[in-house]
Coordinates of all heavy atoms in Angstrom, one line a residue:
R527 N 10.8 -8.5 -7.4 CA 9.5 -8.1 -7.3 C 8.6 -9.4 -7.0 O 8.7 -10.3 -7.7 CB 9.1 -7.3 -8.5 CG 7.6 -6.9 -8.6 CD 7.4 -6.1 -9.8 NE 6.5 -6.7 -10.6 CZ 5.8 -6.1 -11.6 NH1 5.8 -4.8 -11.5 NH2 4.9 -6.7 -12.3
F528 N 7.7 -9.2 -6.1 CA 6.7 -10.2 -5.7 C 5.7 -10.4 -6.8 O 5.1 -9.4 -7.2 CB 6.1 -9.9 -4.4 CG 5.0 -10.8 -4.0 CD1 5.2 -12.1 -3.5 CD2 3.7 -10.5 -4.1 CE1 4.2 -12.9 -3.2 CE2 2.6 -11.3 -3.8 CZ 2.9 -12.6 -3.2
N529 N 5.4 -11.6 -7.2 CA 4.3 -11.8 -8.1 C 3.4 -12.8 -7.5 O 3.6 -13.9 -7.1 CB 4.9 -12.5 -9.4 CG 5.6 -11.5 -10.3 OD1 5.2 -10.4 -10.5 ND2 6.9 -11.9 -10.7
P530 N 2.1 -12.3 -7.3 CA 1.1 -13.1 -6.6 C 0.7 -14.3 -7.5 O 0.8 -14.2 -8.7 CB -0.1 -12.1 -6.3 CG 0.2 -11.0 -7.2 CD 1.7 -11.0 -7.5
P531 N 0.2 -15.4 -6.8 CA -0.2 -16.5 -7.7 C -1.4 -16.1 -8.5 O -2.2 -15.3 -8.2 CB -0.6 -17.6 -6.7 CG -0.9 -16.8 -5.4 CD 0.0 -15.6 -5.5
E532 N -1.5 -16.8 -9.7 CA -2.6 -16.5 -10.6 C -4.0 -16.8 -9.9 O -4.1 -17.8 -9.3 CB -2.5 -17.3 -11.8 CG -3.3 -16.9 -13.0 CD -3.0 -17.5 -14.3 OE1 -1.8 -17.6 -14.5 OE2 -4.0 -17.9 -15.0
G533 N -4.9 -15.8 -10.1 CA -6.1 -16.0 -9.4 C -6.2 -15.5 -8.0 O -7.2 -15.5 -7.3
G534 N -5.0 -15.0 -7.5 CA -4.9 -14.6 -6.1 C -4.9 -13.1 -6.0 O -5.7 -12.4 -6.7
A535 N -4.1 -12.5 -5.3 CA -4.0 -11.1 -5.0 C -3.6 -10.3 -6.3 O -3.1 -10.9 -7.2 CB -2.9 -10.8 -3.9
T536 N -3.8 -9.0 -6.2 CA -3.4 -8.1 -7.3 C -2.3 -7.3 -6.8 O -2.3 -6.7 -5.7 CB -4.7 -7.2 -7.7 OG1 -5.7 -8.0 -8.0 CG2 -4.3 -6.2 -8.8
L537 N -1.2 -7.2 -7.6 CA -0.1 -6.4 -7.2 C -0.3 -5.0 -7.6 O -0.6 -4.8 -8.9 CB 1.2 -7.0 -7.9 CG 2.5 -6.1 -7.8 CD1 3.0 -6.2 -6.3 CD2 3.5 -6.6 -8.7
L538 N -0.2 -4.1 -6.7 CA -0.2 -2.6 -7.1 C 1.2 -2.0 -6.8 O 1.6 -2.0 -5.6 CB -1.2 -1.9 -6.2 CG -2.8 -2.4 -6.4 CD1 -3.6 -1.5 -5.4 CD2 -3.2 -2.2 -7.8
D539 N 1.9 -1.7 -7.7 CA 3.3 -1.2 -7.6 C 3.1 0.3 -7.7 O 2.9 0.9 -8.9 CB 4.2 -1.8 -8.6 CG 5.6 -1.3 -8.5 OD1 5.9 -0.4 -7.6 OD2 6.5 -1.8 -9.1
P540 N 3.4 1.2 -6.7 CA 3.3 2.7 -6.9 C 4.5 3.2 -7.6 O 4.5 4.4 -7.9 CB 3.2 3.1 -5.4 CG 3.9 2.0 -4.6 CD 3.6 0.7 -5.4
K541 N 5.5 2.4 -7.9 CA 6.7 2.8 -8.6 C 7.3 4.1 -8.0 O 7.6 5.0 -8.7 CB 6.4 3.0 -10.1 CG 6.0 1.7 -10.8 CD 5.6 1.9 -12.2 CE 5.3 0.6 -12.9 NZ 4.1 -0.1 -12.5
M542 N 7.4 4.1 -6.7 CA 8.0 5.2 -6.0 C 9.5 5.2 -6.0 O 10.1 4.2 -5.9 CB 7.5 5.2 -4.6 CG 6.0 5.4 -4.4 SD 5.6 5.6 -2.6 CE 6.4 4.2 -1.8
R543 N 10.1 6.4 -6.0 CA 11.5 6.5 -5.9 C 11.8 6.8 -4.3 O 12.9 6.4 -3.9 CB 12.1 7.6 -6.7 CG 11.9 7.5 -8.1 CD 12.7 6.3 -8.7 NE 14.2 6.7 -8.6 CZ 15.1 5.8 -8.8 NH1 14.8 4.5 -9.1 NH2 16.4 6.1 -8.6
T544 N 10.9 7.6 -3.7 CA 11.1 7.8 -2.3 C 9.7 7.7 -1.6 O 8.7 7.7 -2.2 CB 11.6 9.3 -2.0 OG1 10.6 10.2 -2.3 CG2 12.9 9.6 -2.8
S545 N 9.8 7.5 -0.3 CA 8.5 7.4 0.5 C 7.7 8.7 0.5 O 6.5 8.7 0.8 CB 8.8 7.0 1.9 OG 9.7 7.9 2.5
K546 N 8.3 9.8 0.1 CA 7.6 11.1 0.0 C 6.6 11.1 -1.1 O 5.7 11.9 -1.2 CB 8.6 12.3 -0.2 CG 9.5 12.5 1.0 CD 10.4 13.6 0.7 CE 11.5 13.8 1.8 NZ 12.5 14.7 1.5
D547 N 6.8 10.2 -2.1 CA 5.8 10.1 -3.2 C 4.6 9.3 -2.8 O 3.5 9.3 -3.6 CB 6.4 9.4 -4.4 CG 7.7 10.1 -4.9 OD1 7.8 11.3 -4.8 OD2 8.6 9.4 -5.5
F548 N 4.6 8.6 -1.8 CA 3.5 7.7 -1.4 C 2.2 8.4 -1.2 O 1.1 8.0 -1.6 CB 3.8 6.8 -0.3 CG 2.8 5.7 0.0 CD1 2.7 4.6 -0.8 CD2 1.9 5.9 1.1 CE1 1.7 3.7 -0.6 CE2 1.0 4.9 1.3 CZ 0.9 3.7 0.4
P549 N 2.1 9.6 -0.4 CA 0.9 10.2 -0.1 C 0.1 10.6 -1.4 O -1.2 10.4 -1.5 CB 1.2 11.4 0.7 CG 2.5 11.0 1.3 CD 3.2 10.1 0.4
K550 N 0.8 11.1 -2.3 CA 0.1 11.5 -3.6 C -0.4 10.3 -4.4 O -1.6 10.4 -4.8 CB 1.1 12.2 -4.5 CG 0.6 12.7 -5.8 CD 1.6 13.4 -6.7 CE 1.0 13.8 -8.0 NZ 2.0 14.4 -8.9
W551 N 0.3 9.2 -4.4 CA -0.2 8.0 -5.0 C -1.4 7.4 -4.3 O -2.4 7.0 -4.9 CB 0.9 7.0 -5.1 CG 0.5 5.7 -5.7 CD1 0.4 5.4 -7.1 CD2 0.0 4.4 -5.0 NE1 -0.1 4.1 -7.3 CE2 -0.2 3.5 -6.0 CE3 0.1 4.2 -3.6 CZ2 -0.7 2.2 -5.7 CZ3 -0.4 2.9 -3.4 CH2 -0.7 1.9 -4.3
L552 N -1.3 7.4 -2.9 CA -2.4 6.8 -2.2 C -3.6 7.6 -2.2 O -4.8 7.1 -2.2 CB -1.9 6.7 -0.7 CG -2.9 6.1 0.2 CD1 -3.4 4.7 -0.3 CD2 -2.4 6.0 1.6
N553 N -3.5 9.0 -2.3 CA -4.7 9.8 -2.4 C -5.3 9.9 -3.8 O -6.4 10.5 -3.9 CB -4.3 11.2 -1.8 CG -4.3 11.2 -0.3 OD1 -5.3 10.9 0.3 ND2 -3.2 11.5 0.3
A554 N -4.7 9.3 -4.8 CA -5.3 9.4 -6.0 C -6.6 8.6 -6.1 O -6.7 7.5 -5.5 CB -4.4 8.8 -7.1
P555 N -7.7 9.1 -6.7 CA -9.0 8.3 -6.7 C -8.9 6.9 -7.2 O -9.5 6.0 -6.7 CB -9.9 9.2 -7.5 CG -9.3 10.6 -7.5 CD -7.8 10.4 -7.3
E556 N -8.1 6.7 -8.3 CA -7.9 5.3 -8.9 C -7.3 4.4 -7.9 O -7.6 3.2 -7.9 CB -7.3 5.4 -10.3 CG -5.9 6.0 -10.2 CD -5.9 7.5 -10.5 OE1 -6.9 8.2 -10.4 OE2 -4.8 8.1 -10.6
T557 N -6.3 4.9 -7.1 CA -5.7 4.0 -6.1 C -6.7 3.6 -5.0 O -6.8 2.4 -4.6 CB -4.4 4.7 -5.5 OG1 -3.6 5.0 -6.5 CG2 -3.8 3.8 -4.4
K558 N -7.4 4.6 -4.5 CA -8.4 4.4 -3.5 C -9.4 3.4 -4.0 O -9.8 2.5 -3.2 CB -9.0 5.7 -3.0 CG -8.2 6.5 -2.2 CD -8.8 7.8 -1.6 CE -8.0 8.5 -0.7 NZ -8.7 9.7 -0.2
D559 N -9.8 3.4 -5.2 CA -10.8 2.5 -5.7 C -10.2 1.1 -5.7 O -11.0 0.1 -5.5 CB -11.2 2.9 -7.2 CG -12.1 4.1 -7.4 OD1 -12.7 4.5 -6.2 OD2 -12.2 4.7 -8.4
Q560 N -9.0 1.0 -6.0 CA -8.4 -0.4 -6.1 C -8.2 -1.0 -4.7 O -8.2 -2.2 -4.5 CB -7.0 -0.3 -6.8 CG -7.2 -0.1 -8.2 CD -5.8 0.0 -9.0 OE1 -5.0 0.8 -8.6 NE2 -5.6 -0.9 -10.0
L561 N -8.1 -0.1 -3.6 CA -7.8 -0.6 -2.3 C -9.1 -0.7 -1.5 O -9.1 -1.5 -0.5 CB -6.8 0.4 -1.6 CG -5.5 0.5 -2.2 CD1 -4.7 1.6 -1.4 CD2 -4.8 -0.8 -2.2
K562 N -10.1 -0.1 -1.9 CA -11.3 0.0 -1.1 C -12.0 -1.4 -0.9 O -12.1 -2.2 -1.8 CB -12.4 0.9 -1.8 CG -13.6 1.2 -0.9 CD -14.4 2.2 -1.7 CE -15.6 2.6 -0.8 NZ -16.4 3.7 -1.4
N563 N -12.3 -1.7 0.4 CA -12.8 -3.0 0.9 C -11.9 -4.2 0.6 O -12.4 -5.3 0.3 CB -14.2 -3.1 0.2 CG -15.2 -2.1 0.6 OD1 -15.2 -1.7 1.8 ND2 -15.9 -1.6 -0.2
K564 N -10.7 -4.0 0.5 CA -9.7 -5.0 0.2 C -8.8 -5.2 1.5 O -8.5 -4.2 2.2 CB -8.7 -4.7 -1.0 CG -9.6 -4.6 -2.2 CD -10.0 -5.9 -2.9 CE -10.5 -5.9 -4.3 NZ -11.5 -5.0 -4.6
T565 N -8.2 -6.4 1.7 CA -7.1 -6.5 2.6 C -5.8 -6.1 1.9 O -5.6 -6.6 0.8 CB -7.0 -8.0 3.1 OG1 -8.2 -8.4 3.7 CG2 -5.8 -8.2 4.1
V566 N -5.1 -5.2 2.5 CA -3.9 -4.6 1.9 C -2.6 -5.2 2.5 O -2.5 -5.1 3.7 CB -3.9 -3.0 2.0 CG1 -2.6 -2.5 1.3 CG2 -5.1 -2.5 1.4
M567 N -1.7 -5.8 1.7 CA -0.4 -6.3 2.2 C 0.7 -5.3 1.8 O 0.8 -5.1 0.6 CB -0.1 -7.6 1.7 CG 1.2 -8.2 2.3 SD 1.5 -9.9 1.7 CE 2.7 -9.4 0.4
M568 N 1.4 -4.8 2.7 CA 2.5 -4.0 2.3 C 3.9 -4.7 2.6 O 4.0 -5.5 3.5 CB 2.6 -2.8 3.3 CG 1.4 -1.8 3.3 SD 1.6 -0.6 2.0 CE 0.3 0.5 2.4
Y569 N 4.8 -4.6 1.7 CA 6.1 -5.1 1.8 C 7.1 -4.3 1.0 O 6.8 -3.6 0.1 CB 6.1 -6.6 1.3 CG 6.2 -6.8 -0.2 CD1 7.4 -6.8 -0.8 CD2 5.0 -6.9 -0.8 CE1 7.5 -7.0 -2.2 CE2 5.0 -7.0 -2.3 CZ 6.3 -7.1 -2.9 OH 6.3 -7.3 -4.3
C570 N 8.3 -4.3 1.5 CA 9.4 -3.8 0.8 C 10.7 -4.4 1.2 O 10.7 -5.2 2.2 CB 9.5 -2.2 1.0 SG 9.6 -1.7 2.7
T571 N 11.8 -4.1 0.7 CA 13.0 -4.7 1.0 C 13.7 -4.2 2.2 O 14.5 -4.8 2.8 CB 13.9 -4.8 -0.2 OG1 14.2 -3.4 -0.6 CG2 13.4 -5.6 -1.3
G572 N 13.3 -2.9 2.6 CA 14.0 -2.3 3.7 C 13.2 -2.3 5.0 O 13.7 -2.5 6.0
G573 N 11.9 -2.1 4.9 CA 11.1 -2.1 6.1 C 10.5 -0.7 6.5 O 9.4 -0.6 6.8
I574 N 11.4 0.3 6.5 CA 10.9 1.7 7.0 C 9.8 2.3 6.0 O 8.9 2.8 6.5 CB 12.1 2.6 7.2 CG1 11.6 3.9 7.9 CG2 12.7 3.0 5.9 CD1 11.2 3.7 9.4
R575 N 10.0 2.0 4.8 CA 8.9 2.6 3.9 C 7.6 1.9 4.1 O 6.5 2.5 4.0 CB 9.3 2.3 2.4 CG 10.4 3.3 2.0 CD 10.9 3.0 0.6 NE 11.4 1.7 0.5 CZ 12.0 1.1 -0.5 NH1 12.1 1.8 -1.6 NH2 12.5 -0.1 -0.4
C576 N 7.7 0.6 4.4 CA 6.3 -0.2 4.7 C 5.7 0.4 6.0 O 4.5 0.6 6.0 CB 6.6 -1.5 4.9 SG 7.2 -2.5 3.5
E577 N 6.6 0.7 7.0 CA 6.0 1.3 8.3 C 5.3 2.7 8.0 O 4.2 2.9 8.5 CB 7.1 1.3 9.3 CG 7.6 0.0 9.7 CD 8.8 0.1 10.7 OE1 9.0 1.2 11.3 OE2 9.5 -0.9 10.8
R578 N 5.9 3.5 7.3 CA 5.5 4.8 7.0 C 4.1 4.7 6.1 O 3.2 5.4 6.4 CB 6.5 5.6 6.3 CG 7.6 6.1 7.1 CD 8.5 7.0 6.4 NE 9.7 7.4 7.2 CZ 10.8 8.0 6.8 NH1 10.9 8.2 5.5 NH2 11.7 8.4 7.6
A579 N 4.2 3.9 5.1 CA 3.1 3.7 4.2 C 1.9 3.1 5.0 O 0.7 3.6 4.8 CB 3.5 2.8 3.1
T580 N 2.1 2.1 5.8 CA 1.0 1.6 6.6 C 0.5 2.5 7.5 O -0.8 2.6 7.6 CB 1.6 0.3 7.4 OG1 2.2 -0.7 6.5 CG2 0.6 -0.3 8.2
A581 N 1.3 3.3 8.2 CA 0.7 4.3 9.1 C -0.1 5.3 8.4 O -1.2 5.7 8.9 CB 1.9 5.0 9.9
L582 N 0.4 5.8 7.2 CA -0.4 6.7 6.5 C -1.7 6.1 6.0 O -2.8 6.8 6.1 CB 0.4 7.2 5.2 CG -0.3 8.2 4.3 CD1 -0.7 9.5 5.1 CD2 0.5 8.5 3.2
L583 N -1.7 4.9 5.5 CA -3.0 4.3 5.0 C -3.9 4.2 6.2 O -5.1 4.4 6.1 CB -2.6 2.9 4.4 CG -3.9 2.1 3.9 CD1 -4.7 3.0 2.9 CD2 -3.4 0.9 3.2
N584 N -3.5 3.7 7.3 CA -4.3 3.7 8.5 C -4.9 5.0 8.9 O -6.0 5.2 9.3 CB -3.6 3.0 9.7 CG -3.4 1.6 9.6 OD1 -4.2 0.9 8.9 ND2 -2.3 1.0 10.1
Q585 N -4.1 6.1 8.9 CA -4.6 7.4 9.2 C -5.6 7.9 8.2 O -6.7 8.4 8.6 CB -3.4 8.4 9.1 CG -2.5 8.4 10.3 CD -1.3 9.4 10.1 OE1 -1.1 9.9 8.9 NE2 -0.7 9.7 11.2
I586 N -5.5 7.6 6.9 CA -6.5 8.0 6.0 C -7.8 7.2 6.1 O -8.8 7.8 6.1 CB -5.9 7.8 4.5 CG1 -4.9 8.8 4.3 CG2 -7.1 7.9 3.5 CD1 -4.0 8.6 3.0
T587 N -7.7 6.0 6.4 CA -9.0 5.2 6.6 C -9.7 5.6 7.8 O -10.9 5.6 7.9 CB -8.7 3.6 6.6 OG1 -7.8 3.3 7.6 CG2 -8.2 3.2 5.3
D588 N -8.9 6.0 8.9 CA -9.5 6.6 10.2 C -10.2 7.8 9.9 O -11.3 8.2 10.5 CB -8.5 6.7 11.2 CG -7.9 5.4 11.9 OD1 -8.6 4.4 11.6 OD2 -6.9 5.4 12.4
A589 N -9.7 8.7 9.0 CA -10.1 10.0 8.8 C -11.3 10.1 7.7 O -12.1 11.0 7.7 CB -9.0 11.0 8.3
E590 N -11.4 9.1 6.8 CA -12.4 9.0 5.8 C -13.2 7.8 5.8 O -12.9 6.7 5.4 CB -11.6 9.0 4.4 CG -10.7 10.3 4.2 CD -10.0 10.2 2.8 OE1 -10.5 9.6 1.9 OE2 -9.0 10.9 2.7
P591 N -14.4 8.0 6.5 CA -15.3 6.8 6.6 C -15.7 6.2 5.3 O -15.9 5.0 5.3 CB -16.5 7.4 7.4 CG -16.0 8.7 8.0 CD -14.9 9.2 7.1
E592 N -15.8 6.9 4.2 CA -16.1 6.3 2.9 C -15.1 5.6 2.3 O -15.3 4.8 1.3 CB -16.7 7.4 2.0 CG -15.5 8.4 1.5 CD -15.2 9.5 2.5 OE1 -15.7 9.6 3.6 OE2 -14.2 10.2 2.2
F593 N -13.9 5.7 2.8 CA -12.7 4.9 2.3 C -12.2 3.9 3.3 O -11.5 4.3 4.3 CB -11.6 5.8 1.8 CG -10.3 5.1 1.4 CD1 -10.3 4.1 0.4 CD2 -9.1 5.4 2.0 CE1 -9.2 3.4 0.1 CE2 -7.9 4.6 1.7 CZ -8.0 3.7 0.7
Q594 N -12.6 2.7 3.2 CA -12.2 1.7 4.2 C -11.6 0.4 3.5 O -12.0 0.1 2.4 CB -13.4 1.3 5.0 CG -14.0 2.3 5.9 CD -13.0 2.9 7.0 OE1 -12.4 2.0 7.7 NE2 -12.8 4.1 7.0
T595 N -10.6 -0.1 4.2 CA -10.0 -1.4 3.7 C -10.5 -2.5 4.7 O -11.0 -2.2 5.7 CB -8.5 -1.3 3.7 OG1 -8.0 -1.2 5.0 CG2 -8.0 -0.2 2.9
K596 N -10.2 -3.7 4.4 CA -10.4 -4.8 5.3 C -9.2 -5.0 6.3 O -9.2 -6.1 6.9 CB -10.7 -6.1 4.5 CG -12.1 -6.1 3.8 CD -12.4 -7.4 3.2 CE -13.8 -7.3 2.5 NZ -14.1 -8.6 1.8
G597 N -8.3 -4.1 6.2 CA -7.2 -4.2 7.1 C -5.9 -4.0 6.3 O -5.8 -4.3 5.1
V598 N -4.8 -3.7 7.0 CA -3.5 -3.6 6.4 C -2.5 -4.6 7.1 O -2.5 -4.6 8.3 CB -3.0 -2.2 6.6 CG1 -1.6 -2.1 5.9 CG2 -3.9 -1.2 6.0
V599 N -1.9 -5.4 6.4 CA -0.9 -6.4 6.8 C 0.5 -5.9 6.3 O 0.6 -5.7 5.1 CB -1.2 -7.8 6.3 CG1 -0.2 -8.8 6.8 CG2 -2.6 -8.2 6.7
M600 N 1.4 -5.9 7.3 CA 2.8 -5.5 6.9 C 3.7 -6.6 7.1 O 3.7 -7.1 8.1 CB 3.1 -4.2 7.6 CG 4.6 -3.7 7.2 SD 5.1 -2.2 8.1 CE 5.5 -2.9 9.7
V601 N 4.5 -7.0 6.0 CA 5.5 -8.0 6.2 C 6.7 -7.4 6.8 O 7.4 -6.6 6.2 CB 5.8 -8.6 4.8 CG1 6.9 -9.7 5.0 CG2 4.5 -9.2 4.1
R602 N 6.9 -7.7 8.2 CA 8.0 -7.0 8.8 C 9.3 -7.6 8.3 O 9.5 -8.7 8.1 CB 7.9 -7.3 10.4 CG 6.6 -6.7 10.9 CD 6.7 -6.6 12.4 NE 5.4 -6.0 12.9 CZ 5.2 -4.7 12.9 NH1 6.1 -3.8 12.6 NH2 4.0 -4.2 13.4
G603 N 10.2 -6.6 8.1 CA 11.5 -7.0 7.6 C 11.6 -7.1 6.2 O 12.8 -7.3 5.6
G604 N 10.6 -7.0 5.5 CA 10.6 -7.0 4.0 C 10.7 -8.4 3.4 O 10.6 -9.4 4.2
I605 N 10.8 -8.5 2.2 CA 10.8 -9.8 1.4 C 12.3 -10.1 1.1 O 13.0 -9.2 0.6 CB 10.0 -9.7 0.1 CG1 8.6 -9.4 0.3 CG2 10.2 -11.0 -0.7 CD1 7.8 -10.5 1.0
E606 N 12.7 -11.2 1.5 CA 14.2 -11.6 1.2 C 14.3 -12.0 -0.3 O 13.3 -12.5 -0.9 CB 14.5 -12.8 2.0 CG 14.7 -12.5 3.5 CD 15.3 -13.6 4.2 OE1 16.0 -14.4 3.7 OE2 15.0 -13.7 5.5
R607 N 15.4 -11.5 -0.8 CA 15.6 -11.8 -2.3 C 16.2 -13.1 -2.4 O 16.9 -13.7 -1.8 CB 16.6 -10.7 -2.8 CG 16.0 -9.3 -2.8 CD 16.9 -8.4 -3.2 NE 16.4 -7.0 -3.0 CZ 16.5 -6.0 -3.7 NH1 17.2 -6.0 -4.8 NH2 15.9 -4.9 -3.4

């Protein structure tokens, strides 16, 4: 698991078992509060979950003007162990 440097980014781990769990987590008000007006970095070890999650987050920010991020950055290929 990636640990950001102290004083840097905040790690939000949705603790998902499958990518099907992501929409529910992302639509939760507390999650949106944590992501609002932030730059979001997505990463995973496989890659496909990141692509789906990034696409969903972009769709939601396009559809909800009151919920905006400063952009979504996806680490292609995941994080090497």
Side-chain angles (χ1 to χ4, degrees):
R527 172 173 118 154
F528 171 78
N529 289 311
E532 194 164 320
T536 302
L537 175 68
L538 298 180
D539 183 354
K541 297 179 175 70
M542 294 186 310
R543 299 291 295 166
T544 70
S545 58
K546 293 177 186 176
D547 298 333
F548 189 75
K550 182 179 177 182
W551 178 81
L552 182 57
N553 281 300
E556 56 273 9
T557 302
K558 287 183 176 181
D559 286 344
Q560 291 178 304
L561 298 177
K562 191 173 186 175
N563 298 318
K564 301 284 192 310
T565 301
V566 179
M567 182 182 98
M568 299 272 193
Y569 77 91
C570 61
T571 56
I574 190 68
R575 288 175 296 185
C576 291
E577 291 176 18
R578 289 179 179 169
T580 299
L582 178 60
L583 181 54
N584 286 330
Q585 285 178 340
I586 291 173
T587 57
D588 287 346
E590 298 180 23
E592 69 283 355
F593 172 58
Q594 295 296 309
T595 66
K596 289 185 179 179
V598 181
V599 178
M600 185 178 71
V601 179
R602 297 197 182 274
I605 300 288
E606 290 189 27
R607 296 177 190 217

